[in-house]
């Protein structure tokens, strides 16, 4: 296999490109493109596109409604401050706060702030969820994430009631896309619900974690909040990536079903605490660009070196998941990152990919397996082809426009509630395609509005990226691009896996969308 790859046209073409690079031909080409870009028609269109401000709040009924709600909450806060209960609670809390303030807890709270603690807890969603479900099973394990969401909402309301929240409403055009999809989902839940309990569970699984966008948009008030959230996400992801490398080194045991009979050379597939190589790969796709972004954002050489090393380690860990969908998502994330920040990374990705194929034969075997008749037969027998075909048949046997029903097929809720008796002609399984799963459960209407939501997300994130800066004193564009690139990689991976079926992946994705919009439209430095 190594000899075949070394003599292949692809590897020879890469060698030729490397020669051109050393001769300066490629660098000269990109320099000409950079020189011509400012005067290009595309540049003018891009600047006009990014210059679009947020819609005028005075003309938006939604913004006026938010403003009325804010005034109502503030009036409640004014009344509460005059109450006997508030004064009594303040009198009791003041000595307690003074006592705790001198200890470790007090110093941590003062350093992070309440918003920082909530954002850090959200960033550590995966390890917290793993620890709680492993060591505190039962009722708490099933409701702790909802409690975190309610705590964030309670803080935002209290912060607003005490008139400490920023003056802006933090209303975004993406709110409309989200609320529209949530409303359409509610309509479909009511329209197709043979079993109301399962329909409600299916609806909750689809829309609940979308609300993190609204919460994080209001939790991140200044650059310090954003830095805490970004840093906590990066730290968590780096540790997960290191754990994946460790699992590959020790050849962690895996179920036999994770590899096919023709892929026995795969010694292991890393999964860390996610429990799934595919989800592990998607997690690394989401966060590897954020780690890489630090290398471009920081001016300190030791930080750049650490960030580059951590990025390479996370990419290796992603490769060791042997998730083909994650590899595709990582390639898309790298391309998006490179287009905005450093186009040389595209060539570097090609060279690194060719090197990985040569150095790790099991990667080449897994890729070449895709083009064999064995893979086609396996996929038609018990793989994605038969799953997608079965899902489409269920859709057309029901109402194609309204779908088979939320929570009834293709996802986690359906797997947990098998209300239809399995037989030789029907069985439950994961759809391994979130878009197709959405189509089967929510019909053409649900999929159309979900695509509209994603298109709106991409457009407004692009505008937010375009409004950020990339100067010597302000490199916020690097951070916005890093988050956006990871999100695009995950959207690509959703075509091959039910990524958004995993609660923490959904929470991370939409909270990062809120972070991108903060950088583009709401950013302000912390007041001192």
């Amino acid at each position: 296999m190594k000899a075949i790859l070394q003599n292949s046209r692809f590897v020879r073409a890469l060698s030729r490109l490397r020669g051109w690079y050393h001769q300066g031909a490629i660098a000269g080409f990109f320099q000409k493109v950079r020189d011509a870009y400012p005067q290009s028609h595309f540049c003018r269109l891009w600047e006009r596109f990014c210059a679009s401000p947020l819609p005028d709040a005075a003309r938006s009924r939604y913004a006026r409604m938010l403003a009325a709600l804010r005034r109502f909450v503030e009036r409640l806060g004014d009344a509460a401050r005059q109450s006997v209960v508030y004064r009594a609670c303040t009198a009791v809390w003041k000595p307690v706060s003074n006592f705790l303030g001198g200890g470790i807890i007090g110093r941590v709270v003062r350093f992070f702030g309440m918003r920082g603690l909530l954002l850090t807890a959200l960033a550590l969603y995966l390890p917290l969820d793993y620890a709680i479900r492993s060591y505190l099973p039962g009722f708490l394990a099933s409701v702790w994430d909802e409690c975190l969401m309610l705590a964030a909402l309670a803080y935002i309301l209290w912060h607003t009631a005490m008139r400490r929240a920023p003056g802006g409403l933090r209303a975004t055009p993406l709110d409309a896309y989200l609320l529209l999809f949530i409303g359409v989902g509610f309509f479909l839940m009511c329209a197709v619900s043979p079993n109301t309990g399962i329909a409600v569970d299916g609806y909750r699984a689809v829309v609940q974690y979308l609300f993190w966008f609204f919460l994080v948009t209001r939790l991140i008030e200044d650059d310090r909040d954003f830095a805490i959230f970004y840093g906590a996400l990066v730290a968590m992801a780096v540790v997960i990536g290191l754990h994946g490398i460790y699992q590959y080194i020790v050849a962690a045991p895996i179920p036999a079903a994770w590899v096919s009979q023709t892929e026995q050379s795969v010694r292991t597939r890393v999964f860390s605490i996610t429990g799934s190589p595919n989800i592990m790969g998607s997690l690394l796709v989401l966060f590897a660009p954020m780690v890489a972004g630090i290398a471009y954002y920081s001016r300190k050489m030791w930080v750049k070196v650490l960030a580059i090393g951590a990025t390479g380690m996370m990419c290796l860990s992603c490769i060791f998941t042997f998730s083909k969908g994650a590899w595709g998502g990582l390639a898309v994330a790298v391309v998006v990152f490179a287009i905005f920040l450093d186009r040389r990374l595209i060539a570097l990705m090609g060279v690194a990919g060719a090197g990985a194929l040569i150095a790790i034969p099991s990667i080449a075997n897994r890729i070449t397996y895709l083009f064999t008749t064995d893979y086609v037969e396996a996929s038609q027998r018990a793989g994605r082809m038969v799953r997608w075909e079965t899902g489409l048949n269920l859709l057309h046997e029901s109402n194609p426009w309204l779908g088979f029903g939320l929570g009834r097929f293709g996802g986690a809720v359906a797997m947990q509630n098998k209300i239809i008796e399995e037989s030789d002609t029907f069985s439950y399984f994961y759809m391994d395609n979130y878009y197709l799963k959405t189509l089967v459960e929510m019909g053409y209407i649900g999929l159309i509005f979900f695509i509209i939501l994603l298109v709106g997300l991409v457009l407004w994130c692009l505008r937010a990226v375009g409004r950020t800066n990339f100067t010597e004193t302000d490199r916020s564009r690097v951070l916005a691009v890093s988050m956006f690139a990871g999100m695009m990689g995950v959207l690509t991976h959703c075509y091959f896996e039910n990524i958004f079926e995993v609660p923490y992946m959904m929470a991370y994705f939409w909270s990062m969308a809120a972070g991108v919009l903060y950088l583009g439209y709401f950013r302000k430095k912390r007041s001192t």
Side-chain angles (χ1 to χ4, degrees):
M1 176 61 68
K2 182 177 180 179
I4 294 174
L5 288 172
Q6 289 176 335
N7 295 322
S8 66
R9 292 183 179 179
F10 177 70
V11 173
R12 290 202 301 270
L14 289 178
S15 300
R16 193 176 297 113
L17 286 174
R18 183 178 62 178
W20 291 344
Y21 177 77
H22 287 302
Q23 295 171 8
I26 295 179
F29 170 76
F30 282 117
Q31 184 62 45
K32 291 180 180 178
V33 172
R34 283 193 294 267
D35 293 340
Y37 175 73
Q39 289 78 35
S40 67
H41 184 62
F42 178 80
C43 179
R44 292 193 294 271
L45 289 176
W46 170 251
E47 290 177 350
R48 289 179 58 187
F49 173 77
C50 296
S52 176
L54 291 177
D56 187 1
R59 299 180 180 180
S60 168
R61 291 184 180 180
Y62 171 68
R64 291 201 297 271
M65 181 187 70
L66 287 180
L69 178 61
R70 180 185 180 118
R71 290 193 297 270
F72 174 73
V73 173
E74 289 175 345
R75 286 197 295 269
L76 288 180
D78 294 339
R81 281 194 294 271
Q82 305 300 322
S83 67
V84 176
V85 175
Y86 177 82
R87 291 196 293 269
C89 291
T90 303
V92 172
W93 173 248
K94 188 172 182 178
V96 174
S97 176
N98 293 335
F99 174 76
L100 294 176
I104 296 177
I105 296 177
R107 288 196 292 269
V108 170
V109 172
R110 283 199 303 273
F111 177 78
F112 286 95
M114 196 61 206
R115 294 191 305 276
L117 290 175
L118 289 169
L119 290 168
T120 301
L122 174 58
L124 300 179
Y125 193 132
L126 170 57
L128 285 175
D129 187 68
Y130 176 79
I132 292 173
R133 292 183 185 277
S134 299
Y135 303 107
L136 296 173
F139 179 72
L140 180 61
S142 61
V143 302
W144 82 268
D145 50 348
E146 284 85 357
C147 292
L148 178 61
M149 187 176 288
L150 291 175
L153 176 61
Y155 170 79
I156 292 170
L157 291 175
W158 175 258
H159 199 53
T160 303
M162 296 296 105
R163 296 181 181 272
R164 300 169 185 166
L169 298 174
R170 294 294 175 95
T172 73
L174 195 54
D175 295 3
Y177 293 93
L178 285 164
L179 292 174
L180 181 62
F181 178 70
I182 291 169
V184 169
F186 182 79
F187 163 74
L188 293 173
M189 178 192 70
C190 297
V192 185
S193 54
N195 187 303
T196 304
I198 291 177
V200 171
D201 285 344
Y203 177 67
R204 182 190 62 80
V206 170
V207 307
Q208 174 179 329
Y209 300 96
L210 299 177
F211 286 98
W212 275 116
F213 174 84
F214 299 99
L215 297 174
V216 175
T217 301
R218 289 155 179 83
L219 283 176
I220 300 178
E221 294 186 359
D222 51 47
D223 282 358
R224 181 178 175 83
D225 295 333
F226 179 84
I228 289 174
F229 184 52
Y230 194 100
L233 287 172
V234 165
M236 179 274 302
V238 168
V239 172
I240 294 295
L242 283 171
H243 188 216
I245 296 295
Y246 167 78
Q247 285 185 322
Y248 186 77
I249 292 173
V250 301
I254 58 174
W258 284 7
V259 293
S260 65
Q261 294 180 352
T262 60
E263 297 177 304
Q264 296 305 313
S265 61
V266 177
R267 53 199 297 267
T268 188
R269 297 181 65 186
V270 302
F271 53 91
S272 187
I273 59 175
T274 65
S276 166
N278 295 316
I279 302 303
M280 168 78 164
S282 193
L283 186 82
L284 295 171
V285 167
L286 186 61
F287 293 122
M290 292 179 60
V291 181
I294 296 177
Y296 287 83
Y297 181 81
S298 178
R299 297 178 181 86
K300 298 178 180 179
M301 182 55 64
W302 67 271
V303 175
K304 292 178 180 291
V305 172
L306 286 178
I308 292 172
T311 303
M313 177 272 299
M314 293 176 68
C315 291
L316 275 178
S317 190
C318 181
I319 289 173
F320 294 151
T321 63
F322 289 93
S323 170
K324 297 181 289 290
W327 295 347
L330 183 62
V332 170
V334 171
V335 169
V336 173
F337 187 94
I339 288 173
F340 282 97
L341 297 178
D342 191 349
R343 293 173 180 82
R344 295 172 298 179
L345 292 176
I346 298 176
L348 178 62
M349 179 180 65
V351 174
L357 289 174
I358 296 173
I360 309 175
S362 53
I363 297 177
N365 294 338
R366 190 161 175 81
I367 293 176
T368 54
Y369 175 63
L370 294 172
F371 305 98
T372 63
T373 56
D374 291 338
Y375 173 78
V376 175
E377 293 174 357
S379 185
Q380 291 176 340
R381 183 173 61 253
R384 285 185 174 86
M385 290 184 182
V386 69
R387 296 183 182 194
W388 295 356
E389 183 181 358
T390 302
L392 290 174
N393 289 337
L394 279 177
L395 173 69
H396 293 124
E397 289 172 3
S398 55
N399 188 322
W401 285 99
L402 301 180
F404 190 64
L406 281 163
R408 298 190 65 203
F409 189 78
V413 176
M415 293 294 291
Q416 296 166 4
N417 303 276
K418 300 180 179 181
I419 58 173
I420 302 176
E421 184 178 355
E422 295 186 291
S423 63
D424 294 337
T425 58
F426 179 84
S427 62
Y428 283 94
F429 45 73
Y430 286 99
M431 190 67 70
D432 285 348
N433 182 326
Y434 191 78
Y435 304 107
L436 189 55
K437 178 258 181 188
T438 301
L439 173 62
V440 172
E441 288 194 339
M442 303 179 69
Y444 292 121
I445 292 177
L447 181 62
I448 288 171
F449 281 94
F450 184 62
I451 296 299
I452 290 173
L453 168 61
L454 296 183
V455 170
L457 167 72
V458 172
L459 290 178
W460 282 100
C461 281
L462 282 173
R463 278 178 166 160
V465 168
R467 293 171 65 89
T468 54
N469 299 317
F470 188 52
T471 63
E472 285 297 322
T473 58
D474 184 3
R475 300 184 179 183
S476 57
R477 175 167 298 180
V478 172
L479 305 181
V481 168
S482 301
M483 301 174 85
F484 179 68
M487 292 163 58
M488 293 303 98
V490 169
L491 289 181
T492 302
H493 196 188
C494 279
Y495 185 79
F496 304 98
E497 298 291 340
N498 289 5
I499 301 301
F500 286 159
E501 283 282 298
V502 183
Y504 55 79
M505 290 301 300
M506 193 82 146
Y508 285 148
F509 183 90
W510 288 104
S511 61
M512 287 169 61
V516 173
L517 289 187
Y518 163 78
L519 290 175
Y521 287 99
F522 303 118
R523 181 172 180 249
K524 70 171 185 177
K525 295 183 178 180
R526 185 178 179 87
S527 58
T528 57

